Amino acid sequence: MSIDADRCAGHGACVATCPEVFTLTSDGYVEVTVDRVPDELVELVKRAAAECPERAVLVDTP
């Protein structure tokens, strides 16, 4: 999972959905705060990706 920095506009929808995995940087853009998404958060991360208006959250989990 990663953030496409070219697409991210800093809306923060992913942060609101899953703050355990995403955070806003001081520049106002999103970054991932974990190396591996815990199993119990996978569905929230998928929802965060679906809710991103810029489609900047890239999920590579099935």
Short mmCIF file of all heavy atoms in Angstrom, two decimals:
data_model
loop_
_atom_site.label_atom_id
_atom_site.label_comp_id
_atom_site.label_asym_id
_atom_site.label_seq_id
_atom_site.Cartn_x
_atom_site.Cartn_y
_atom_site.Cartn_z
N MET A 1 0.83 -1.16 0.00
CA MET A 1 0.00 0.00 0.00
C MET A 1 0.88 1.24 0.00
O MET A 1 1.94 1.25 0.63
CB MET A 1 -0.88 -0.01 1.24
CG MET A 1 -1.85 1.09 1.21
SD MET A 1 -2.21 1.93 2.75
CE MET A 1 -1.14 1.30 3.92
N SER A 2 0.44 2.24 -0.72
CA SER A 2 1.20 3.48 -0.79
C SER A 2 0.28 4.63 -1.16
O SER A 2 -0.89 4.43 -1.47
CB SER A 2 2.33 3.36 -1.82
OG SER A 2 1.81 3.12 -3.10
N ILE A 3 0.84 5.82 -1.13
CA ILE A 3 0.13 7.03 -1.54
C ILE A 3 0.79 7.54 -2.81
O ILE A 3 2.01 7.67 -2.88
CB ILE A 3 0.22 8.13 -0.45
CG1 ILE A 3 -0.33 7.64 0.89
CG2 ILE A 3 -0.45 9.41 -0.90
CD1 ILE A 3 -1.81 7.34 0.87
N ASP A 4 -0.02 7.81 -3.81
CA ASP A 4 0.49 8.42 -5.04
C ASP A 4 0.61 9.92 -4.78
O ASP A 4 -0.39 10.64 -4.77
CB ASP A 4 -0.47 8.14 -6.19
CG ASP A 4 0.03 8.68 -7.52
OD1 ASP A 4 0.82 9.65 -7.53
OD2 ASP A 4 -0.38 8.13 -8.56
N ALA A 5 1.83 10.36 -4.53
CA ALA A 5 2.07 11.76 -4.16
C ALA A 5 1.64 12.74 -5.25
O ALA A 5 1.29 13.88 -4.95
CB ALA A 5 3.55 11.96 -3.82
N ASP A 6 1.66 12.30 -6.50
CA ASP A 6 1.24 13.17 -7.59
C ASP A 6 -0.27 13.40 -7.59
O ASP A 6 -0.75 14.40 -8.10
CB ASP A 6 1.67 12.59 -8.93
CG ASP A 6 3.18 12.62 -9.11
OD1 ASP A 6 3.85 13.49 -8.51
OD2 ASP A 6 3.70 11.75 -9.85
N ARG A 7 -1.01 12.45 -7.02
CA ARG A 7 -2.47 12.56 -6.98
C ARG A 7 -2.99 13.16 -5.68
O ARG A 7 -4.05 13.76 -5.66
CB ARG A 7 -3.10 11.19 -7.16
CG ARG A 7 -3.01 10.65 -8.53
CD ARG A 7 -3.74 9.34 -8.59
NE ARG A 7 -3.85 8.88 -9.96
CZ ARG A 7 -4.54 7.83 -10.32
NH1 ARG A 7 -5.17 7.10 -9.42
NH2 ARG A 7 -4.59 7.48 -11.58
N CYS A 8 -2.29 12.92 -4.59
CA CYS A 8 -2.78 13.34 -3.27
C CYS A 8 -2.94 14.86 -3.22
O CYS A 8 -2.02 15.61 -3.51
CB CYS A 8 -1.83 12.89 -2.17
SG CYS A 8 -2.40 13.33 -0.52
N ALA A 9 -4.15 15.28 -2.83
CA ALA A 9 -4.44 16.70 -2.70
C ALA A 9 -4.63 17.09 -1.24
O ALA A 9 -5.01 18.22 -0.95
CB ALA A 9 -5.67 17.06 -3.52
N GLY A 10 -4.38 16.15 -0.33
CA GLY A 10 -4.46 16.45 1.09
C GLY A 10 -5.86 16.60 1.65
O GLY A 10 -6.05 17.27 2.65
N HIS A 11 -6.84 15.96 1.02
CA HIS A 11 -8.21 16.04 1.53
C HIS A 11 -8.32 15.44 2.93
O HIS A 11 -9.13 15.89 3.73
CB HIS A 11 -9.19 15.33 0.60
CG HIS A 11 -9.30 15.95 -0.75
ND1 HIS A 11 -9.95 17.14 -0.97
CD2 HIS A 11 -8.83 15.56 -1.96
CE1 HIS A 11 -9.88 17.45 -2.25
NE2 HIS A 11 -9.20 16.51 -2.87
N GLY A 12 -7.55 14.40 3.20
CA GLY A 12 -7.54 13.77 4.51
C GLY A 12 -8.66 12.79 4.77
O GLY A 12 -8.85 12.36 5.90
N ALA A 13 -9.39 12.40 3.74
CA ALA A 13 -10.47 11.42 3.93
C ALA A 13 -9.92 10.10 4.45
O ALA A 13 -10.53 9.47 5.32
CB ALA A 13 -11.23 11.21 2.62
N CYS A 14 -8.77 9.70 3.97
CA CYS A 14 -8.17 8.44 4.43
C CYS A 14 -7.76 8.54 5.90
O CYS A 14 -7.90 7.59 6.66
CB CYS A 14 -6.99 8.03 3.56
SG CYS A 14 -5.68 9.26 3.47
N VAL A 15 -7.28 9.69 6.31
CA VAL A 15 -6.89 9.91 7.70
C VAL A 15 -8.12 9.82 8.60
O VAL A 15 -8.08 9.21 9.67
CB VAL A 15 -6.18 11.26 7.89
CG1 VAL A 15 -5.84 11.50 9.33
CG2 VAL A 15 -4.93 11.33 7.02
N ALA A 16 -9.22 10.40 8.16
CA ALA A 16 -10.46 10.35 8.94
C ALA A 16 -10.98 8.92 9.06
O ALA A 16 -11.50 8.52 10.09
CB ALA A 16 -11.52 11.25 8.31
N THR A 17 -10.81 8.14 8.00
CA THR A 17 -11.30 6.76 7.98
C THR A 17 -10.39 5.82 8.77
O THR A 17 -10.87 4.95 9.48
CB THR A 17 -11.44 6.26 6.53
OG1 THR A 17 -12.37 7.10 5.85
CG2 THR A 17 -11.92 4.82 6.47
N CYS A 18 -9.08 5.99 8.64
CA CYS A 18 -8.15 5.06 9.28
C CYS A 18 -6.91 5.79 9.80
O CYS A 18 -5.82 5.66 9.23
CB CYS A 18 -7.78 3.96 8.30
SG CYS A 18 -6.95 2.57 9.07
N PRO A 19 -7.04 6.53 10.89
CA PRO A 19 -5.90 7.29 11.42
C PRO A 19 -4.78 6.41 11.97
O PRO A 19 -3.67 6.89 12.19
CB PRO A 19 -6.53 8.15 12.52
CG PRO A 19 -7.75 7.41 12.93
CD PRO A 19 -8.25 6.73 11.68
N GLU A 20 -5.06 5.12 12.15
CA GLU A 20 -4.02 4.20 12.60
C GLU A 20 -2.98 3.93 11.51
O GLU A 20 -1.88 3.46 11.79
CB GLU A 20 -4.63 2.85 13.03
CG GLU A 20 -5.64 2.94 14.14
CD GLU A 20 -7.07 3.19 13.65
OE1 GLU A 20 -7.27 3.51 12.46
OE2 GLU A 20 -7.99 3.06 14.48
N VAL A 21 -3.33 4.23 10.26
CA VAL A 21 -2.46 3.93 9.12
C VAL A 21 -2.01 5.18 8.37
O VAL A 21 -0.93 5.22 7.82
CB VAL A 21 -3.16 2.94 8.16
CG1 VAL A 21 -2.36 2.73 6.89
CG2 VAL A 21 -3.41 1.61 8.86
N PHE A 22 -2.85 6.22 8.36
CA PHE A 22 -2.57 7.42 7.59
C PHE A 22 -2.43 8.64 8.50
O PHE A 22 -3.10 8.73 9.52
CB PHE A 22 -3.70 7.69 6.58
CG PHE A 22 -3.98 6.55 5.66
CD1 PHE A 22 -5.05 5.70 5.88
CD2 PHE A 22 -3.16 6.30 4.56
CE1 PHE A 22 -5.33 4.64 5.03
CE2 PHE A 22 -3.42 5.25 3.70
CZ PHE A 22 -4.50 4.42 3.94
N THR A 23 -1.62 9.60 8.06
CA THR A 23 -1.51 10.86 8.77
C THR A 23 -1.25 11.97 7.75
O THR A 23 -0.78 11.71 6.64
CB THR A 23 -0.37 10.82 9.82
OG1 THR A 23 -0.46 11.97 10.65
CG2 THR A 23 1.00 10.77 9.17
N LEU A 24 -1.57 13.19 8.14
CA LEU A 24 -1.26 14.35 7.30
C LEU A 24 0.10 14.89 7.71
O LEU A 24 0.38 15.07 8.90
CB LEU A 24 -2.31 15.44 7.47
CG LEU A 24 -3.64 15.22 6.76
CD1 LEU A 24 -4.63 16.31 7.14
CD2 LEU A 24 -3.47 15.17 5.26
N THR A 25 0.93 15.18 6.74
CA THR A 25 2.24 15.75 7.02
C THR A 25 2.10 17.25 7.29
O THR A 25 1.02 17.83 7.09
CB THR A 25 3.20 15.57 5.83
OG1 THR A 25 2.72 16.35 4.73
CG2 THR A 25 3.32 14.10 5.42
N SER A 26 3.16 17.86 7.71
CA SER A 26 3.14 19.30 7.96
C SER A 26 2.88 20.09 6.67
O SER A 26 2.45 21.23 6.71
CB SER A 26 4.44 19.76 8.61
OG SER A 26 5.54 19.46 7.77
N ASP A 27 3.14 19.46 5.52
CA ASP A 27 2.87 20.09 4.23
C ASP A 27 1.42 19.91 3.79
O ASP A 27 1.01 20.40 2.74
CB ASP A 27 3.78 19.50 3.15
CG ASP A 27 5.23 19.86 3.35
OD1 ASP A 27 5.51 20.88 4.02
OD2 ASP A 27 6.10 19.13 2.85
N GLY A 28 0.65 19.13 4.57
CA GLY A 28 -0.76 18.94 4.25
C GLY A 28 -1.06 17.78 3.33
O GLY A 28 -2.16 17.69 2.78
N TYR A 29 -0.11 16.89 3.16
CA TYR A 29 -0.32 15.71 2.33
C TYR A 29 -0.31 14.47 3.20
O TYR A 29 0.16 14.48 4.33
CB TYR A 29 0.72 15.63 1.22
CG TYR A 29 0.59 16.78 0.26
CD1 TYR A 29 1.42 17.88 0.37
CD2 TYR A 29 -0.39 16.78 -0.71
CE1 TYR A 29 1.28 18.97 -0.49
CE2 TYR A 29 -0.54 17.86 -1.57
CZ TYR A 29 0.29 18.95 -1.46
OH TYR A 29 0.14 20.01 -2.30
N VAL A 30 -0.80 13.37 2.65
CA VAL A 30 -0.94 12.14 3.43
C VAL A 30 0.30 11.28 3.29
O VAL A 30 0.91 11.21 2.23
CB VAL A 30 -2.19 11.37 2.94
CG1 VAL A 30 -2.29 10.02 3.62
CG2 VAL A 30 -3.44 12.19 3.20
N GLU A 31 0.62 10.59 4.39
CA GLU A 31 1.64 9.56 4.35
C GLU A 31 1.17 8.36 5.14
O GLU A 31 0.31 8.48 6.01
CB GLU A 31 2.99 10.07 4.86
CG GLU A 31 3.05 10.36 6.32
CD GLU A 31 4.41 10.88 6.76
OE1 GLU A 31 5.28 11.14 5.91
OE2 GLU A 31 4.59 11.04 7.97
N VAL A 32 1.73 7.22 4.80
CA VAL A 32 1.43 5.97 5.48
C VAL A 32 2.35 5.86 6.69
O VAL A 32 3.55 6.12 6.58
CB VAL A 32 1.64 4.78 4.52
CG1 VAL A 32 1.40 3.46 5.24
CG2 VAL A 32 0.74 4.91 3.31
N THR A 33 1.80 5.46 7.83
CA THR A 33 2.59 5.42 9.06
C THR A 33 3.00 4.02 9.48
O THR A 33 3.62 3.86 10.53
CB THR A 33 1.82 6.08 10.21
OG1 THR A 33 0.60 5.36 10.41
CG2 THR A 33 1.52 7.54 9.91
N VAL A 34 2.65 3.01 8.71
CA VAL A 34 3.00 1.63 9.05
C VAL A 34 3.72 0.97 7.88
O VAL A 34 3.52 1.34 6.73
CB VAL A 34 1.75 0.80 9.42
CG1 VAL A 34 1.05 1.38 10.64
CG2 VAL A 34 0.79 0.69 8.26
N ASP A 35 4.56 0.00 8.20
CA ASP A 35 5.23 -0.78 7.15
C ASP A 35 4.30 -1.86 6.61
O ASP A 35 4.34 -2.18 5.42
CB ASP A 35 6.50 -1.44 7.69
CG ASP A 35 7.58 -0.42 8.02
OD1 ASP A 35 7.66 0.62 7.33
OD2 ASP A 35 8.33 -0.67 8.98
N ARG A 36 3.49 -2.41 7.49
CA ARG A 36 2.55 -3.46 7.11
C ARG A 36 1.21 -3.14 7.77
O ARG A 36 1.16 -2.84 8.95
CB ARG A 36 3.06 -4.81 7.61
CG ARG A 36 2.18 -5.96 7.23
CD ARG A 36 2.67 -7.28 7.86
NE ARG A 36 1.67 -8.30 7.76
CZ ARG A 36 0.61 -8.43 8.54
NH1 ARG A 36 0.41 -7.58 9.51
NH2 ARG A 36 -0.25 -9.40 8.37
N VAL A 37 0.15 -3.23 6.99
CA VAL A 37 -1.19 -2.97 7.52
C VAL A 37 -1.62 -4.17 8.36
O VAL A 37 -1.63 -5.30 7.86
CB VAL A 37 -2.21 -2.73 6.38
CG1 VAL A 37 -3.60 -2.55 6.94
CG2 VAL A 37 -1.79 -1.54 5.54
N PRO A 38 -1.95 -3.94 9.62
CA PRO A 38 -2.44 -5.03 10.46
C PRO A 38 -3.71 -5.64 9.86
O PRO A 38 -4.54 -4.92 9.28
CB PRO A 38 -2.74 -4.36 11.80
CG PRO A 38 -1.92 -3.11 11.79
CD PRO A 38 -1.85 -2.68 10.37
N ASP A 39 -3.84 -6.95 9.99
CA ASP A 39 -4.99 -7.65 9.40
C ASP A 39 -6.32 -7.02 9.78
O ASP A 39 -7.22 -6.92 8.96
CB ASP A 39 -4.98 -9.13 9.81
CG ASP A 39 -3.82 -9.89 9.20
OD1 ASP A 39 -3.25 -9.42 8.19
OD2 ASP A 39 -3.47 -10.96 9.74
N GLU A 40 -6.43 -6.58 11.02
CA GLU A 40 -7.71 -6.04 11.49
C GLU A 40 -8.04 -4.67 10.88
O GLU A 40 -9.16 -4.18 11.01
CB GLU A 40 -7.76 -5.96 13.02
CG GLU A 40 -6.77 -5.01 13.64
CD GLU A 40 -5.40 -5.62 13.94
OE1 GLU A 40 -5.09 -6.72 13.45
OE2 GLU A 40 -4.64 -4.96 14.66
N LEU A 41 -7.07 -4.05 10.19
CA LEU A 41 -7.31 -2.74 9.57
C LEU A 41 -7.41 -2.79 8.05
O LEU A 41 -7.65 -1.77 7.41
CB LEU A 41 -6.20 -1.76 9.98
CG LEU A 41 -6.11 -1.45 11.47
CD1 LEU A 41 -4.93 -0.52 11.74
CD2 LEU A 41 -7.40 -0.83 11.97
N VAL A 42 -7.23 -3.96 7.47
CA VAL A 42 -7.23 -4.08 6.00
C VAL A 42 -8.52 -3.55 5.39
O VAL A 42 -8.50 -2.80 4.41
CB VAL A 42 -6.95 -5.54 5.56
CG1 VAL A 42 -7.23 -5.73 4.08
CG2 VAL A 42 -5.52 -5.92 5.89
N GLU A 43 -9.66 -3.91 5.96
CA GLU A 43 -10.94 -3.45 5.40
C GLU A 43 -11.09 -1.94 5.51
O GLU A 43 -11.61 -1.29 4.60
CB GLU A 43 -12.11 -4.17 6.05
CG GLU A 43 -12.20 -5.64 5.68
CD GLU A 43 -12.23 -5.89 4.17
OE1 GLU A 43 -12.99 -5.21 3.47
OE2 GLU A 43 -11.48 -6.77 3.71
N LEU A 44 -10.62 -1.35 6.60
CA LEU A 44 -10.67 0.11 6.74
C LEU A 44 -9.77 0.79 5.71
O LEU A 44 -10.13 1.83 5.16
CB LEU A 44 -10.23 0.54 8.15
CG LEU A 44 -11.30 0.59 9.21
CD1 LEU A 44 -10.69 1.02 10.55
CD2 LEU A 44 -12.43 1.52 8.83
N VAL A 45 -8.61 0.21 5.46
CA VAL A 45 -7.69 0.77 4.46
C VAL A 45 -8.33 0.71 3.07
O VAL A 45 -8.25 1.66 2.29
CB VAL A 45 -6.33 0.07 4.50
CG1 VAL A 45 -5.48 0.42 3.28
CG2 VAL A 45 -5.59 0.42 5.78
N LYS A 46 -8.97 -0.40 2.78
CA LYS A 46 -9.67 -0.52 1.48
C LYS A 46 -10.77 0.53 1.37
O LYS A 46 -10.97 1.13 0.32
CB LYS A 46 -10.24 -1.92 1.31
CG LYS A 46 -9.19 -2.97 1.06
CD LYS A 46 -9.84 -4.33 0.93
CE LYS A 46 -8.83 -5.42 0.72
NZ LYS A 46 -9.46 -6.75 0.61
N ARG A 47 -11.50 0.75 2.48
CA ARG A 47 -12.55 1.78 2.46
C ARG A 47 -11.94 3.17 2.28
O ARG A 47 -12.46 4.00 1.53
CB ARG A 47 -13.37 1.72 3.74
CG ARG A 47 -14.59 2.62 3.66
CD ARG A 47 -15.56 2.34 4.76
NE ARG A 47 -15.20 3.20 5.89
CZ ARG A 47 -15.59 3.00 7.12
NH1 ARG A 47 -16.29 1.94 7.44
NH2 ARG A 47 -15.24 3.84 8.07
N ALA A 48 -10.82 3.42 2.94
CA ALA A 48 -10.14 4.70 2.79
C ALA A 48 -9.72 4.92 1.34
O ALA A 48 -9.86 6.02 0.81
CB ALA A 48 -8.92 4.77 3.71
N ALA A 49 -9.23 3.87 0.70
CA ALA A 49 -8.83 3.98 -0.71
C ALA A 49 -10.04 4.29 -1.58
O ALA A 49 -9.97 5.14 -2.48
CB ALA A 49 -8.16 2.69 -1.17
N ALA A 50 -11.15 3.64 -1.31
CA ALA A 50 -12.36 3.86 -2.11
C ALA A 50 -12.93 5.26 -1.90
O ALA A 50 -13.51 5.83 -2.82
CB ALA A 50 -13.42 2.81 -1.75
N GLU A 51 -12.74 5.82 -0.70
CA GLU A 51 -13.29 7.14 -0.39
C GLU A 51 -12.39 8.29 -0.84
O GLU A 51 -12.81 9.44 -0.83
CB GLU A 51 -13.54 7.25 1.11
CG GLU A 51 -14.65 6.34 1.59
CD GLU A 51 -14.79 6.32 3.10
OE1 GLU A 51 -13.94 6.87 3.82
OE2 GLU A 51 -15.78 5.73 3.56
N CYS A 52 -11.16 8.00 -1.22
CA CYS A 52 -10.23 9.05 -1.62
C CYS A 52 -10.71 9.71 -2.92
O CYS A 52 -10.81 9.05 -3.95
CB CYS A 52 -8.82 8.48 -1.82
SG CYS A 52 -7.64 9.72 -2.39
N PRO A 53 -11.01 11.01 -2.88
CA PRO A 53 -11.53 11.67 -4.09
C PRO A 53 -10.51 11.72 -5.23
O PRO A 53 -10.89 11.83 -6.39
CB PRO A 53 -11.90 13.07 -3.61
CG PRO A 53 -11.29 13.25 -2.29
CD PRO A 53 -10.94 11.91 -1.74
N GLU A 54 -9.24 11.64 -4.91
CA GLU A 54 -8.20 11.70 -5.94
C GLU A 54 -7.68 10.32 -6.34
O GLU A 54 -6.81 10.20 -7.19
CB GLU A 54 -7.03 12.56 -5.45
CG GLU A 54 -7.42 13.95 -4.99
CD GLU A 54 -8.08 14.78 -6.07
OE1 GLU A 54 -7.79 14.57 -7.27
OE2 GLU A 54 -8.90 15.65 -5.71
N ARG A 55 -8.18 9.28 -5.68
CA ARG A 55 -7.73 7.90 -5.90
C ARG A 55 -6.22 7.78 -5.69
O ARG A 55 -5.51 7.12 -6.43
CB ARG A 55 -8.12 7.38 -7.27
CG ARG A 55 -9.62 7.36 -7.50
CD ARG A 55 -10.26 6.35 -6.56
NE ARG A 55 -11.71 6.24 -6.80
CZ ARG A 55 -12.61 6.54 -5.88
NH1 ARG A 55 -12.24 6.99 -4.71
NH2 ARG A 55 -13.88 6.40 -6.13
N ALA A 56 -5.73 8.45 -4.64
CA ALA A 56 -4.30 8.49 -4.36
C ALA A 56 -3.83 7.35 -3.45
O ALA A 56 -2.64 7.11 -3.34
CB ALA A 56 -3.92 9.82 -3.73
N VAL A 57 -4.77 6.67 -2.80
CA VAL A 57 -4.39 5.55 -1.93
C VAL A 57 -4.36 4.29 -2.79
O VAL A 57 -5.37 3.87 -3.35
CB VAL A 57 -5.40 5.37 -0.77
CG1 VAL A 57 -5.00 4.18 0.10
CG2 VAL A 57 -5.49 6.65 0.05
N LEU A 58 -3.17 3.71 -2.89
CA LEU A 58 -2.99 2.52 -3.73
C LEU A 58 -2.84 1.31 -2.83
O LEU A 58 -1.90 1.22 -2.03
CB LEU A 58 -1.73 2.70 -4.58
CG LEU A 58 -1.69 4.00 -5.39
CD1 LEU A 58 -0.36 4.14 -6.10
CD2 LEU A 58 -2.83 4.06 -6.36
N VAL A 59 -3.79 0.39 -2.96
CA VAL A 59 -3.82 -0.81 -2.12
C VAL A 59 -3.46 -2.01 -2.97
O VAL A 59 -4.06 -2.23 -4.01
CB VAL A 59 -5.21 -1.00 -1.49
CG1 VAL A 59 -5.26 -2.25 -0.65
CG2 VAL A 59 -5.59 0.22 -0.67
N ASP A 60 -2.49 -2.78 -2.51
CA ASP A 60 -2.08 -3.95 -3.26
C ASP A 60 -2.47 -5.25 -2.56
O ASP A 60 -1.97 -6.31 -2.86
CB ASP A 60 -0.59 -3.94 -3.55
CG ASP A 60 0.25 -3.74 -2.30
OD1 ASP A 60 -0.24 -3.14 -1.35
OD2 ASP A 60 1.41 -4.18 -2.29
N THR A 61 -3.40 -5.16 -1.60
CA THR A 61 -3.90 -6.36 -0.93
C THR A 61 -5.15 -6.84 -1.66
O THR A 61 -5.89 -6.03 -2.22
CB THR A 61 -4.24 -6.08 0.55
OG1 THR A 61 -5.20 -5.05 0.62
CG2 THR A 61 -3.01 -5.73 1.33
N PRO A 62 -5.38 -8.15 -1.64
CA PRO A 62 -6.57 -8.69 -2.35
C PRO A 62 -7.88 -8.25 -1.71
O PRO A 62 -7.97 -7.81 -0.64
CB PRO A 62 -6.39 -10.19 -2.24
CG PRO A 62 -5.23 -10.48 -1.40
CD PRO A 62 -4.56 -9.17 -1.07
#
